[in-house]
């Protein structure tokens, strides 16, 4: 079975909301919601991959030193085994837009259970909901 190394970022705003994106048509598990991120390239660090993917998917820049590590997740899909690092960021540059014409939404963390999230996201959601304060000291964004 192939191992897929990925990273994602939970973007947060000043209203204590998180950003979720809907996977575009034609992609693996199209229509499911996810936290933005993607595959780690050969020789690339997980945090660098997360910043690169956010730029490619949402056209915003996140500095790797502004990423807060949240957790590692491991999940077995029928097609591959996923190993992913999850980060949180509350500071970025640019206006968020779906570069693949994917939908995105800002939602309260309690609303995560109301969306058809990727199966691998379940442990992330559990961690988010179990923490009184997932969010780090605020900066203006």
């Amino acid at each position: 079975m192939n191992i897929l190394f990925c990273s994602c970022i939970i973007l947060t705003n000043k209203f204590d909301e998180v950003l979720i994106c809907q996977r575009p048509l034609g992609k693996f598990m199209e229509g499911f919601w996810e936290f933005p991120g993607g595959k780690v390239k050969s020789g690339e660090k997980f945090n660098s991959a997360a910043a690169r993917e956010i730029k490619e998917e949402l056209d915003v820049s996140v500095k790797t030193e502004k990423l807060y590590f949240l957790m590692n997740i491991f999940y077995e899909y029928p097609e591959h085994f996923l190993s992913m690092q999850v980060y949180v960021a509350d500071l970025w540059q640019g206006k968020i837009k779906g570069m693949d014409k994917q939908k995105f939404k800002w939602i309260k963390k309690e609303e995560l259970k109301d969306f058809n999230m990727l199966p691998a996201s379940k442990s992330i959601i559990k961690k988010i909901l179990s923490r009184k304060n997932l969010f780090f000291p605020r900066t203006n964004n």
Side-chain angles (χ1 to χ4, degrees):
M1 177 173 285
N2 290 336
I3 299 174
L4 187 61
F5 296 101
C6 293
S7 58
C8 73
I9 300 176
I10 301 169
L11 289 177
T12 68
N13 65 20
K14 61 186 173 187
F15 305 108
D16 286 336
E17 296 171 320
V18 297
L19 184 79
I20 59 172
C21 301
Q22 191 171 38
R23 293 190 57 78
L25 296 177
K27 297 257 182 164
F28 174 71
M29 303 201 68
E30 66 185 39
F32 278 81
W33 291 85
E34 65 180 348
F35 300 107
K39 296 176 188 168
V40 177
K41 294 180 179 179
S42 179
E44 189 176 32
K45 293 181 179 180
F46 279 86
N47 60 350
S48 297
R52 175 184 51 76
E53 286 285 344
I54 288 292
K55 181 65 175 169
E56 291 173 5
E57 290 181 16
L58 301 174
D59 198 31
V60 294
S61 299
V62 178
K63 294 182 179 182
T64 56
E65 62 270 14
K66 298 294 183 183
L67 294 176
Y68 301 96
F69 176 78
L70 181 65
M71 65 188 297
N72 286 310
I73 65 163
F74 306 98
Y75 189 85
E76 188 172 342
Y77 285 102
E79 301 81 4
H80 59 266
F81 184 82
L82 174 68
S83 173
M84 183 161 66
Q85 287 192 0
V86 182
Y87 299 91
V88 177
D90 66 352
L91 180 63
W92 62 89
Q93 292 180 328
K95 183 171 171 50
I96 295 172
K97 56 187 170 194
M99 300 304 287
D100 290 331
K101 304 208 183 327
Q102 74 273 36
K103 294 179 187 174
F104 61 88
K105 292 184 181 202
W106 288 104
I107 63 170
K108 294 288 185 187
K109 66 180 184 177
E110 296 79 15
E111 296 177 89
L112 285 166
K113 60 187 179 309
D114 300 331
F115 286 84
N116 192 19
M117 299 290 288
L118 286 174
S121 298
K122 289 186 190 317
S123 60
I124 302 170
I125 294 167
K126 185 177 177 181
K127 177 105 173 186
I128 290 170
L129 293 176
S130 73
R131 292 179 64 136
K132 181 178 179 192
N133 185 10
L134 166 70
F135 310 107
F136 297 90
R138 286 278 163 233
T139 52
N140 292 329
N141 56 351

